[in-house]
Amino acid sequence: MQTEPLGLHHVFERAEAVFADREVTGREPGGVRGLDYAELFAGARGLAEDLEGLGLRPGDRVATYAWNTLDHMRAYIAIPGAGMVMHTVNIRLGADEVAYTLAHAGDRAVLVDGALWESWSAVDLPDTVEHVLVMGEAPDLPAVQGGAAVHRLETRPVPERRGWWRPRDENEAVGICYTSGTTGRPKAVVYSHRSVYLHALTLCGTDAFAIGHHDVVLPVVPMFHANAWNLPYAGLVAGAGLAFPGRHLDPLGLTGFIRDSRATFAAGVPTVWAAVVRALHEGRAPGDALATMDRIVIGGSSAPESLLDALTGLGIRPVHAWGMTECSPVGLVASEPCTPDGAVRSAARRTQGRPLPGLAVRSSAEGREAARDGAAVGELEISGPFVVDHYHAPEKDDSASFTASPDGRRWLRTGDMVTVDARGYVTLVDRAKDMVKSGGEWISSVDLENRLAAHPRVNETAVIAVPDEVWGERPVAVLSSTDGEPLDPDELRSFLGAQIPRWQLPDRFVVVDEVPKTGVGKFDKKRMRAEYGHGR
Amino acid sequence: MQTEPLGLHHVFERAEAVFADREVTGREPGGVRGLDYAELFAGARGLAEDLEGLGLRPGDRVATYAWNTLDHMRAYIAIPGAGMVMHTVNIRLGADEVAYTLAHAGDRAVLVDGALWESWSAVDLPDTVEHVLVMGEAPDLPAVQGGAAVHRLETRPVPERRGWWRPRDENEAVGICYTSGTTGRPKAVVYSHRSVYLHALTLCGTDAFAIGHHDVVLPVVPMFHANAWNLPYAGLVAGAGLAFPGRHLDPLGLTGFIRDSRATFAAGVPTVWAAVVRALHEGRAPGDALATMDRIVIGGSSAPESLLDALTGLGIRPVHAWGMTECSPVGLVASEPCTPDGAVRSAARRTQGRPLPGLAVRSSAEGREAARDGAAVGELEISGPFVVDHYHAPEKDDSASFTASPDGRRWLRTGDMVTVDARGYVTLVDRAKDMVKSGGEWISSVDLENRLAAHPRVNETAVIAVPDEVWGERPVAVLSSTDGEPLDPDELRSFLGAQIPRWQLPDRFVVVDEVPKTGVGKFDKKRMRAEYGHGR
């Protein structure tokens, strides 16, 4: 058999040869703009030539700092298409952390979204950066930023097709993402042509995301976070329509763009969809806004049952998924088991899911694999061709993040405490560091959060462990209400008390305007522990 | 990223870990038998141990000679699962050709379907074969066949899981298939762990065969021909139900088993489906026999429009596909383009399709790529990670079968004359050697066949080129009628004459009881040219 390297060159060339008239939509400052694959790729080719014109060469690292835009998508093609390595900088990081990742990656150039110029200009650029290229509308720009020349980029279509960069070795680096570490510096995960190709192809599978040519894929999850779950490349493999919402991720902006782009498939974190559902229920968004939507993938953190039910009620199939930057990023998808038992099917949909083709999972407790009985709790470990092998140039020894099997397989330790059942469904019990150990017994903060989320007046909730002299640790719930009015702790206590043992009830219910979140929209438990973890 | 080898070990281990309770059905002499993946794999593990007990080792070649049965499926797992190389012998080959392929592959053992003992026992075994293992019910067996010991195999379940053979190099051989060459000896195509994995994963894609966990996959295409289009392994990737019809491929046997197995997905050559449709229309098969069927893949040769329409009329989505043993074997699938124009969608469904992810195609005429305009005719060339790189130990130099690009890509010359359009749809004009060159102009035998197939009384038809002193070559049609009654050549001539120019009309219409076919069910044009190609 041919040993043709797996890689994005193939995805790009096939997309141009086969899907030239498929549509791509973007919400831009002037309104919604549409173009086809032929125009998208022509623009990407112009961008690739612009980068080469600045002296950038294959292997050079080129960063992006942008919302989900057509310009960003062009960069997703142009950078790897020119053989360079794309570093998608998380715009939610602080300026010093951005500078750290730019220096760590050794970026020679950065493509900056003009709409983000203000936060970008606060970054103290490391010496590696020679060029800053500003995309889209932007304010007056300086000629230089630190030691880098600042250029204004225009879209310059080059319609004549020629081959995209074909890696000699499919394990060649194609992208870098940094994990949003809750402790220490962000860690670098380097994707290869092979891993991106395999992951994108796998996402198109029927029981994965089933992305097809007739879909219109709308990544709500940011392109600066784990490459928007690899949806841009999976979309190109399928020849799907693509829709880029820009910065308009509020419920009204999003529902309006879903209607304009006729999106059939979207993916994002639970909080985004909870807000959309609320806006629909309250009549703030038009009732038919999601009429074209077929399925919505929810991941990034565990989705409350109530959200899954609400989407189902809207005629949308919710797909629960689990991933992390280290897994390219999607690892588990909660597709339904083939059984006539509706309760079993429904329960399976609410788990984190089972491993995608290519991946193996196990749960480890005290150095052994825990039973696959849906009850034994262990740390989730994962292995496969699109799982990280090692962090790139880690700040400190990363060997504790991996274990090895005698057969040579390498396993990533995910830090998630889970059960695994006989059908391979993984259920998240907690992040290892978020488990509450009270009087020697574990309390799952995820379980408490899911139960509280089902309360009609609870908007968002996070449960944290706080030190306790008697019990070691005790749970505390931080909550916001749907209507901004106060919540009654006694009422919440009796709501929960009807469902779980008394000793598992949170000691306190802290009601806040908004539950604190990290740069990528996850609950910031570190900050909450610091803020609400002491005294009463 | 991890460099975990792609391979069947992974498919098997995941299938056991995740899909243990999924069902597998087989039609056996005693009736329809059902078991689950756990039992299937336990039996395969027993078979693997039996092979090892006979002294067989990783890298050894082990052949199969069997119908589509549960036993054959066990062998599909046990042989590669023990690190051996599976050679699926085409039972339609003559005894001397079987002996040739056994010797060429260097098979040390052969698993023989007891139901095929009679034809098998006529094979003069080469010295390489040490063991003949007979599966299923069989007549009295001799102790030896040639120099080989004959064993009767019992299914021996070994339920305790242990890892399957994990290739150190994913390019390691996993299977051998021989092409049914119309000239010269069959040629050997060696599949690798990597190619089989990639092809099976790709078939599960939404716009490929969309095989999922909830499907029941029924391979009508034989497991001794291009590994049943790789459906057994694609089914295991998806965790689909599997259904094995045994030898009962007549319309009544097949429709009965489709009903028993509740198959949702089947694949086979056009002649099989034409016979099934006829049996339904004539009331010989029960009207609801295909009620569970969702889609049927038709390939192996070009399907007439009338067949695609008949399946659509039954509520089944016909999927037209193109492949060859050299492409693992599926290369093109005629999924619909995303356009509101119904005529364009419908026309696309009737083409051979467009390249699967991973593959590139082009049509070459006189050393250059022909225009992608849907009109220019050239020879189809195909390239990608599950396309053959070279034939294994070819009888004669095989370099004429391949061309190379300056970028290092290798292209297989398929021998099919095609057009390619702007959306990448490939339309078969003819096999290069089946084109009729009349007075310097090409006549497409496929086009004539398709038009004749639309005649209500024509059952099967093949058009061949016969030598002609005046024109060089002229077309001759060989036909059978649906009702066994004679067809009127004049009536056929005026039927065609209303559609095409006079000079393209066949010179003769030879009406036969059955149009001659090769071992794999394709029209045997070589034989027809010998039989009907001379004089009037």
Side-chain angles (χ1 to χ4, degrees), chain A residues 1-2 4 10 13-14 17-18 21 166 170 194-195 197 204 206-207 210 212-214 336-338 354-355 358-359 384 387-388 407 409-410 422-423, chain B residues 1-2 4 10 13-14 17-18 21 166 170 194-195 197 204 206-207 210 212-214 336 338 354-355 358-359 384 387-388 407 409-410 422-423:
Chain A
M1 291 286 119
Q2 298 181 8
E4 174 66 19
H10 171 74
E13 288 168 16
R14 178 166 169 275
V18 173
D21 61 350
R166 181 162 173 259
E170 65 190 21
R194 172 183 165 102
S195 69
Y197 179 87
C204 293
T206 304
D207 295 318
H213 178 50
H214 296 260
E336 280 191 15
C338 191
R354 31 188 188 182
L359 300 184
V387 175
V388 72
D407 63 4
R409 263 198 193 83
R410 205 164 156 83
R423 287 193 178 95
Chain B
M1 291 286 119
Q2 298 181 6
E4 175 65 19
H10 172 74
E13 287 168 17
R14 178 167 169 274
V18 173
D21 61 350
R166 181 162 173 260
E170 65 190 20
R194 172 182 166 102
S195 69
Y197 179 87
C204 294
T206 304
D207 294 319
H213 178 49
H214 296 259
E336 280 191 13
C338 191
R354 30 188 190 183
L359 300 184
V387 174
V388 72
D407 63 3
R409 263 199 192 84
R410 205 165 156 83
R423 288 193 177 96

Coordinates of all heavy atoms in Angstrom, one line a residue, chain A residues 1-2 4 10 13-14 17-18 21 166 170 194-195 197 204 206-207 210 212-214 336-338 354-355 358-359 384 387-388 407 409-410 422-423, chain B residues 1-2 4 10 13-14 17-18 21 166 170 194-195 197 204 206-207 210 212-214 336 338 354-355 358-359 384 387-388 407 409-410 422-423:
Chain A
M1 N 0.8 -1.2 0.0 CA 0.0 0.0 0.0 C 0.9 1.3 0.0 O 2.0 1.2 0.5 CB -0.9 0.0 1.3 CG -2.0 -1.1 1.2 SD -3.3 -0.7 0.1 CE -3.2 -2.1 -1.1
Q2 N 0.4 2.3 -0.6 CA 1.1 3.6 -0.7 C 1.3 4.1 0.7 O 0.5 4.0 1.6 CB 0.4 4.6 -1.5 CG 0.2 4.1 -3.0 CD -0.5 5.1 -3.9 OE1 -0.7 6.2 -3.5 NE2 -0.8 4.7 -5.1
E4 N 1.7 7.2 1.4 CA 1.3 8.7 1.3 C 1.1 9.2 2.7 O 0.3 8.7 3.5 CB 0.0 8.8 0.5 CG -0.6 10.2 0.3 CD 0.3 11.1 -0.5 OE1 1.1 10.7 -1.2 OE2 0.1 12.3 -0.3
H10 N -3.6 17.1 1.9 CA -4.6 16.3 1.2 C -6.0 16.9 1.4 O -6.8 16.9 0.5 CB -4.5 14.8 1.7 CG -5.6 14.1 1.1 ND1 -5.7 13.7 -0.2 CD2 -6.8 13.7 1.6 CE1 -6.8 13.2 -0.5 NE2 -7.5 13.2 0.7
E13 N -6.4 20.0 -0.8 CA -6.4 19.7 -2.2 C -7.7 19.1 -2.6 O -8.3 19.5 -3.6 CB -5.2 18.9 -2.6 CG -3.9 19.7 -2.6 CD -2.6 18.9 -2.7 OE1 -2.7 17.7 -3.1 OE2 -1.6 19.5 -2.4
R14 N -8.2 18.2 -1.8 CA -9.4 17.5 -2.1 C -10.6 18.5 -2.0 O -11.5 18.5 -2.8 CB -9.6 16.3 -1.2 CG -11.0 15.6 -1.4 CD -11.0 14.2 -0.7 NE -12.3 13.6 -0.6 CZ -13.2 13.9 0.3 NH1 -12.9 14.8 1.3 NH2 -14.4 13.3 0.3
A17 N -10.7 20.5 -5.0 CA -11.0 19.8 -6.3 C -12.5 19.4 -6.3 O -13.0 19.2 -7.4 CB -10.1 18.6 -6.4
V18 N -13.1 19.2 -5.1 CA -14.4 18.5 -5.1 C -15.5 19.4 -4.5 O -16.6 19.3 -4.9 CB -14.2 17.2 -4.2 CG1 -15.5 16.6 -3.9 CG2 -13.3 16.2 -4.8
D21 N -17.7 24.8 -4.8 CA -18.8 25.7 -4.7 C -19.6 25.7 -3.4 O -20.6 26.2 -3.2 CB -19.8 25.4 -5.9 CG -20.4 24.0 -5.9 OD1 -19.9 23.2 -5.1 OD2 -21.3 23.7 -6.6
R166 N 3.3 19.6 1.3 CA 3.1 18.2 1.6 C 4.2 17.7 2.5 O 5.4 17.7 2.1 CB 3.2 17.4 0.3 CG 3.0 15.9 0.3 CD 2.7 15.4 -1.0 NE 2.6 14.0 -1.1 CZ 3.6 13.2 -1.6 NH1 4.7 13.7 -2.0 NH2 3.5 11.9 -1.6
E170 N 4.7 12.5 8.1 CA 3.4 12.9 8.5 C 3.4 13.3 10.0 O 2.4 13.9 10.5 CB 2.4 11.8 8.3 CG 2.6 10.5 9.1 CD 1.7 9.4 8.6 OE1 1.2 9.4 7.5 OE2 1.6 8.4 9.4
R194 N -0.4 14.1 10.9 CA -1.1 12.8 11.1 C -2.2 12.9 12.1 O -3.3 12.5 11.9 CB -0.1 11.8 11.5 CG -0.6 10.4 11.9 CD 0.5 9.6 12.4 NE 0.1 8.4 13.1 CZ 0.1 7.1 12.6 NH1 0.4 7.0 11.4 NH2 -0.3 6.1 13.4
S195 N -1.9 13.5 13.2 CA -2.9 13.6 14.3 C -4.1 14.4 13.9 O -5.3 14.0 14.2 CB -2.3 14.0 15.6 OG -2.0 15.4 15.6
Y197 N -5.2 15.1 10.9 CA -5.9 14.4 9.8 C -6.8 13.3 10.4 O -8.0 13.1 10.1 CB -5.0 13.7 8.8 CG -5.7 13.0 7.7 CD1 -6.1 13.7 6.6 CD2 -5.9 11.6 7.8 CE1 -6.8 13.0 5.6 CE2 -6.6 10.9 6.8 CZ -7.1 11.6 5.7 OH -7.7 11.0 4.7
C204 N -15.9 12.9 11.5 CA -16.9 12.8 10.4 C -17.7 11.5 10.5 O -18.6 11.3 9.8 CB -16.3 12.9 9.1 SG -15.6 14.6 8.7
T206 N -20.1 8.5 11.6 CA -21.6 8.5 12.0 C -21.8 8.6 13.4 O -22.7 9.3 13.9 CB -22.2 7.2 11.4 OG1 -21.9 7.1 10.0 CG2 -23.7 7.2 11.7
D207 N -21.1 7.8 14.3 CA -21.3 7.9 15.7 C -20.4 8.9 16.4 O -20.4 8.9 17.7 CB -21.1 6.5 16.3 CG -22.2 5.5 15.7 OD1 -23.4 5.9 15.7 OD2 -21.9 4.4 15.4
A210 N -20.7 12.9 13.0 CA -21.4 12.7 11.7 C -21.4 13.9 10.8 O -22.4 14.2 10.2 CB -22.9 12.2 12.0
G212 N -21.1 16.0 7.7 CA -21.2 15.6 6.3 C -21.3 16.8 5.4 O -21.4 18.0 5.9
H213 N -21.2 16.6 4.1 CA -21.2 17.6 3.1 C -22.4 18.5 3.2 O -22.4 19.7 2.9 CB -21.2 17.0 1.7 CG -21.2 17.9 0.5 ND1 -20.4 18.9 0.4 CD2 -21.9 17.8 -0.6 CE1 -20.6 19.5 -0.8 NE2 -21.6 18.9 -1.4
H214 N -23.6 18.0 3.6 CA -24.8 18.8 3.7 C -25.0 19.5 5.0 O -26.0 20.3 5.1 CB -26.0 17.9 3.4 CG -26.0 17.3 2.0 ND1 -26.7 17.8 1.0 CD2 -25.2 16.3 1.5 CE1 -26.5 17.1 -0.1 NE2 -25.6 16.2 0.2
E336 N -25.6 6.9 21.4 CA -26.5 5.9 22.1 C -26.1 4.5 21.9 O -25.7 4.1 20.8 CB -27.9 6.1 21.5 CG -28.6 7.2 22.1 CD -30.1 7.2 21.8 OE1 -30.6 6.1 21.3 OE2 -30.8 8.2 22.0
P337 N -26.2 3.6 22.9 CA -26.0 2.2 22.7 C -27.2 1.6 21.9 O -28.3 2.2 21.9 CB -26.0 1.6 24.1 CG -26.8 2.6 24.9 CD -26.6 3.9 24.3
C338 N -26.9 0.5 21.2 CA -28.0 -0.1 20.5 C -28.7 -1.1 21.4 O -28.3 -2.3 21.5 CB -27.3 -0.9 19.3 SG -28.5 -1.4 18.1
R354 N -18.2 7.4 25.0 CA -17.2 6.3 24.9 C -16.1 6.7 23.9 O -16.3 7.6 23.1 CB -17.9 5.0 24.6 CG -19.1 5.0 23.8 CD -19.6 3.5 23.8 NE -20.8 3.3 22.9 CZ -21.4 2.2 22.8 NH1 -21.0 1.1 23.5 NH2 -22.4 2.0 21.9
P355 N -15.0 6.0 23.9 CA -13.9 6.4 23.1 C -14.1 6.4 21.6 O -14.7 5.4 21.1 CB -12.8 5.4 23.5 CG -13.5 4.3 24.1 CD -14.7 4.8 24.7
G358 N -9.9 4.6 17.4 CA -8.5 5.0 17.5 C -8.0 5.1 18.9 O -6.8 5.0 19.2
L359 N -9.0 5.3 19.8 CA -8.6 5.6 21.2 C -9.0 4.4 22.1 O -9.9 3.7 21.9 CB -9.4 6.8 21.7 CG -9.1 8.1 21.0 CD1 -9.8 9.3 21.7 CD2 -7.6 8.4 20.9
G384 N -3.8 6.8 22.2 CA -4.2 6.7 20.8 C -3.4 7.7 19.9 O -2.7 8.5 20.4
V387 N -3.5 11.5 20.7 CA -3.3 11.9 22.1 C -1.9 12.3 22.2 O -1.0 11.7 21.6 CB -3.7 10.7 23.0 CG1 -3.3 11.0 24.5 CG2 -5.1 10.3 22.9
V388 N -1.7 13.3 23.1 CA -0.3 13.9 23.2 C 0.6 12.8 23.7 O 0.3 11.9 24.6 CB -0.3 15.1 24.1 CG1 -0.6 14.7 25.6 CG2 0.9 15.9 24.0
D407 N 3.3 -3.2 26.8 CA 3.3 -3.4 25.3 C 3.8 -2.2 24.6 O 3.8 -2.1 23.4 CB 1.9 -3.7 24.9 CG 0.9 -2.6 25.1 OD1 1.3 -1.6 25.6 OD2 -0.3 -2.8 24.9
R409 N 2.5 0.9 24.8 CA 1.5 2.0 24.7 C 1.8 3.0 25.8 O 2.2 2.7 26.9 CB 0.1 1.4 25.0 CG -0.7 1.1 23.8 CD -2.1 0.9 24.1 NE -2.9 0.3 23.0 CZ -2.9 -1.0 22.8 NH1 -2.4 -1.8 23.6 NH2 -3.6 -1.4 21.8
R410 N 1.5 4.3 25.4 CA 1.6 5.4 26.4 C 0.2 5.9 26.7 O -0.6 6.0 25.9 CB 2.4 6.5 25.6 CG 3.2 7.4 26.6 CD 4.2 8.1 25.7 NE 4.5 9.4 26.4 CZ 5.4 9.5 27.4 NH1 6.1 8.4 27.8 NH2 5.7 10.6 27.9
A422 N -19.6 -1.4 31.3 CA -19.3 -2.6 30.5 C -19.4 -2.2 29.0 O -18.9 -2.9 28.2 CB -20.2 -3.7 30.8
R423 N -20.1 -1.2 28.7 CA -20.2 -0.7 27.3 C -19.2 0.4 27.0 O -19.3 1.0 25.9 CB -21.6 -0.2 27.0 CG -22.7 -1.3 26.9 CD -23.9 -0.7 26.2 NE -25.0 -1.7 26.1 CZ -26.0 -2.0 26.9 NH1 -26.0 -1.2 28.0 NH2 -26.9 -2.9 26.7
Chain B
M1 N 2.5 14.1 19.4 CA 1.4 13.2 19.4 C 1.9 11.7 19.4 O 3.0 11.5 18.9 CB 0.5 13.4 18.1 CG -0.2 14.7 18.1 SD -1.7 14.7 19.3 CE -1.2 16.0 20.4
Q2 N 1.1 10.8 20.0 CA 1.6 9.5 20.1 C 1.7 8.8 18.7 O 0.9 9.1 17.8 CB 0.6 8.6 20.9 CG 0.5 9.2 22.4 CD -0.4 8.4 23.2 OE1 -1.0 7.3 22.8 NE2 -0.6 8.8 24.5
E4 N 1.2 5.7 18.0 CA 0.5 4.5 18.1 C 0.2 3.9 16.7 O -0.4 4.6 15.9 CB -0.8 4.7 18.9 CG -1.7 3.5 19.0 CD -1.1 2.3 19.8 OE1 -0.2 2.6 20.6 OE2 -1.6 1.2 19.7
H10 N -6.3 -2.5 17.3 CA -7.0 -1.5 18.0 C -8.5 -1.7 17.7 O -9.3 -1.6 18.6 CB -6.6 -0.1 17.5 CG -7.5 0.9 18.1 ND1 -7.5 1.2 19.4 CD2 -8.6 1.5 17.5 CE1 -8.5 2.1 19.6 NE2 -9.1 2.3 18.5
E13 N -9.7 -4.7 19.9 CA -9.8 -4.4 21.3 C -10.9 -3.4 21.7 O -11.6 -3.6 22.7 CB -8.4 -3.9 21.8 CG -7.4 -5.0 21.8 CD -5.9 -4.5 22.0 OE1 -5.7 -3.3 22.4 OE2 -5.0 -5.3 21.6
R14 N -11.1 -2.4 20.9 CA -12.2 -1.5 21.2 C -13.5 -2.2 21.0 O -14.4 -2.0 21.8 CB -12.0 -0.3 20.2 CG -13.1 0.8 20.4 CD -12.8 2.1 19.7 NE -13.9 3.0 19.6 CZ -14.8 2.9 18.6 NH1 -14.7 2.0 17.7 NH2 -15.8 3.8 18.6
A17 N -14.2 -4.1 24.0 CA -14.3 -3.3 25.2 C -15.7 -2.5 25.2 O -16.2 -2.2 26.3 CB -13.2 -2.3 25.4
V18 N -16.2 -2.2 24.1 CA -17.2 -1.2 24.0 C -18.5 -1.8 23.4 O -19.6 -1.4 23.7 CB -16.8 0.0 23.1 CG1 -17.9 0.9 22.8 CG2 -15.6 0.7 23.8
D21 N -22.0 -6.5 23.6 CA -23.4 -7.1 23.5 C -24.0 -6.9 22.1 O -25.2 -7.2 21.9 CB -24.3 -6.6 24.6 CG -24.5 -5.1 24.6 OD1 -23.7 -4.4 23.8 OD2 -25.3 -4.6 25.3
R166 N -0.3 -6.6 18.1 CA -0.1 -5.2 17.8 C 1.2 -5.0 16.9 O 2.3 -5.4 17.3 CB 0.2 -4.5 19.1 CG 0.4 -3.0 19.1 CD 0.1 -2.4 20.4 NE 0.4 -1.0 20.5 CZ 1.6 -0.5 21.0 NH1 2.5 -1.3 21.5 NH2 1.8 0.8 21.0
E170 N 3.1 -0.1 11.4 CA 1.7 -0.2 10.9 C 1.6 -0.6 9.4 O 0.6 -0.9 8.9 CB 1.0 1.1 11.1 CG 1.6 2.3 10.4 CD 1.0 3.6 10.8 OE1 0.4 3.7 11.9 OE2 1.1 4.6 10.1
R194 N -2.2 -0.5 8.5 CA -2.6 1.0 8.2 C -3.6 1.1 7.2 O -4.6 1.8 7.4 CB -1.3 1.7 7.8 CG -1.5 3.2 7.4 CD -0.1 3.7 7.0 NE -0.2 5.0 6.2 CZ 0.0 6.2 6.8 NH1 0.3 6.3 8.0 NH2 -0.1 7.3 6.0
S195 N -3.5 0.5 6.1 CA -4.4 0.7 5.0 C -5.8 0.2 5.3 O -6.8 0.8 5.0 CB -3.9 0.1 3.6 OG -3.9 -1.3 3.7
Y197 N -7.1 -0.2 8.3 CA -7.7 0.7 9.3 C -8.2 2.0 8.7 O -9.4 2.4 9.0 CB -6.6 1.0 10.4 CG -7.1 1.9 11.5 CD1 -7.8 1.4 12.6 CD2 -7.0 3.3 11.4 CE1 -8.3 2.3 13.6 CE2 -7.6 4.2 12.3 CZ -8.2 3.6 13.4 OH -8.7 4.5 14.4
C204 N -16.9 4.5 7.4 CA -17.9 4.9 8.4 C -18.3 6.4 8.3 O -19.2 6.8 9.0 CB -17.3 4.6 9.8 SG -17.1 2.9 10.1
T206 N -19.9 9.9 7.1 CA -21.3 10.2 6.8 C -21.5 10.1 5.3 O -22.5 9.7 4.8 CB -21.6 11.6 7.3 OG1 -21.3 11.6 8.7 CG2 -23.0 12.0 7.0
D207 N -20.6 10.7 4.5 CA -20.8 10.7 3.0 C -20.1 9.5 2.3 O -20.1 9.5 1.1 CB -20.3 12.0 2.5 CG -21.1 13.2 3.0 OD1 -22.3 13.1 3.0 OD2 -20.5 14.2 3.3
A210 N -21.5 5.7 5.8 CA -22.2 6.1 7.0 C -22.5 4.9 7.9 O -23.6 4.8 8.5 CB -23.5 6.9 6.7
G212 N -22.8 2.8 11.1 CA -22.8 3.2 12.5 C -23.2 2.0 13.3 O -23.6 1.0 12.8
H213 N -23.2 2.3 14.6 CA -23.5 1.2 15.6 C -24.9 0.7 15.5 O -25.1 -0.5 15.8 CB -23.3 1.9 17.0 CG -23.6 1.1 18.2 ND1 -23.0 -0.2 18.3 CD2 -24.3 1.3 19.3 CE1 -23.4 -0.7 19.5 NE2 -24.2 0.2 20.1
H214 N -25.8 1.5 15.0 CA -27.2 1.0 14.9 C -27.5 0.3 13.6 O -28.6 -0.1 13.4 CB -28.1 2.2 15.2 CG -28.0 2.8 16.5 ND1 -28.9 2.5 17.5 CD2 -27.1 3.6 17.1 CE1 -28.5 3.1 18.7 NE2 -27.4 3.8 18.4
E336 N -24.5 12.7 -2.8 CA -25.1 13.8 -3.5 C -24.4 15.2 -3.2 O -24.0 15.4 -2.1 CB -26.6 14.1 -3.0 CG -27.5 13.1 -3.6 CD -29.0 13.5 -3.3 OE1 -29.2 14.6 -2.8 OE2 -29.9 12.7 -3.5
C338 N -24.3 19.2 -2.6 CA -25.1 20.1 -1.9 C -25.6 21.2 -2.8 O -24.9 22.2 -2.9 CB -24.4 20.6 -0.7 SG -25.4 21.5 0.5
R354 N -17.4 10.4 -6.2 CA -16.2 11.2 -6.0 C -15.3 10.5 -5.0 O -15.7 9.7 -4.2 CB -16.5 12.6 -5.7 CG -17.7 12.9 -5.0 CD -17.9 14.5 -5.0 NE -18.9 15.0 -4.1 CZ -19.2 16.3 -4.0 NH1 -18.6 17.2 -4.7 NH2 -20.2 16.6 -3.2
P355 N -14.0 11.0 -5.0 CA -13.0 10.2 -4.2 C -13.3 10.4 -2.7 O -13.6 11.4 -2.2 CB -11.7 10.9 -4.5 CG -12.1 12.3 -5.1 CD -13.4 12.0 -5.8
G358 N -8.9 11.1 1.7 CA -7.6 10.3 1.6 C -7.2 10.1 0.2 O -6.0 9.9 -0.1
L359 N -8.1 10.1 -0.7 CA -7.8 9.8 -2.1 C -7.8 11.0 -3.0 O -8.6 11.9 -2.8 CB -8.8 8.8 -2.7 CG -8.9 7.4 -1.9 CD1 -9.8 6.5 -2.6 CD2 -7.5 6.8 -1.8
G384 N -3.4 7.5 -3.0 CA -3.8 7.6 -1.6 C -3.3 6.5 -0.7 O -2.8 5.5 -1.2
V387 N -4.3 2.8 -1.4 CA -4.2 2.4 -2.8 C -2.9 1.6 -2.9 O -1.9 2.0 -2.3 CB -4.2 3.6 -3.8 CG1 -3.9 3.2 -5.2 CG2 -5.5 4.4 -3.7
V388 N -2.9 0.6 -3.8 CA -1.7 -0.3 -3.9 C -0.5 0.5 -4.4 O -0.6 1.4 -5.2 CB -2.0 -1.5 -4.8 CG1 -2.1 -1.0 -6.2 CG2 -1.0 -2.6 -4.6
D407 N 6.1 15.3 -7.3 CA 6.1 15.5 -5.9 C 6.3 14.2 -5.1 O 6.2 14.2 -3.9 CB 4.8 16.2 -5.4 CG 3.5 15.4 -5.7 OD1 3.7 14.3 -6.2 OD2 2.4 15.9 -5.5
R409 N 4.2 11.6 -5.3 CA 3.0 10.8 -5.3 C 3.1 9.7 -6.3 O 3.6 9.9 -7.4 CB 1.8 11.7 -5.6 CG 1.1 12.2 -4.4 CD -0.3 12.7 -4.8 NE -0.9 13.5 -3.7 CZ -0.6 14.8 -3.5 NH1 0.2 15.4 -4.3 NH2 -1.2 15.4 -2.4
R410 N 2.4 8.6 -6.0 CA 2.3 7.5 -6.9 C 0.9 7.3 -7.3 O 0.0 7.5 -6.5 CB 2.8 6.2 -6.2 CG 3.4 5.2 -7.1 CD 4.1 4.2 -6.3 NE 4.2 2.9 -6.9 CZ 5.1 2.6 -7.9 NH1 6.0 3.4 -8.3 NH2 5.0 1.4 -8.4
A422 N -16.4 19.2 -12.5 CA -15.9 20.3 -11.7 C -16.1 20.0 -10.2 O -15.4 20.5 -9.3 CB -16.5 21.6 -12.0
R423 N -17.1 19.1 -9.9 CA -17.3 18.7 -8.5 C -16.6 17.4 -8.1 O -16.8 16.8 -7.1 CB -18.8 18.6 -8.2 CG -19.6 19.9 -8.1 CD -20.9 19.7 -7.5 NE -21.7 20.9 -7.4 CZ -22.6 21.3 -8.3 NH1 -22.8 20.6 -9.4 NH2 -23.2 22.5 -8.1

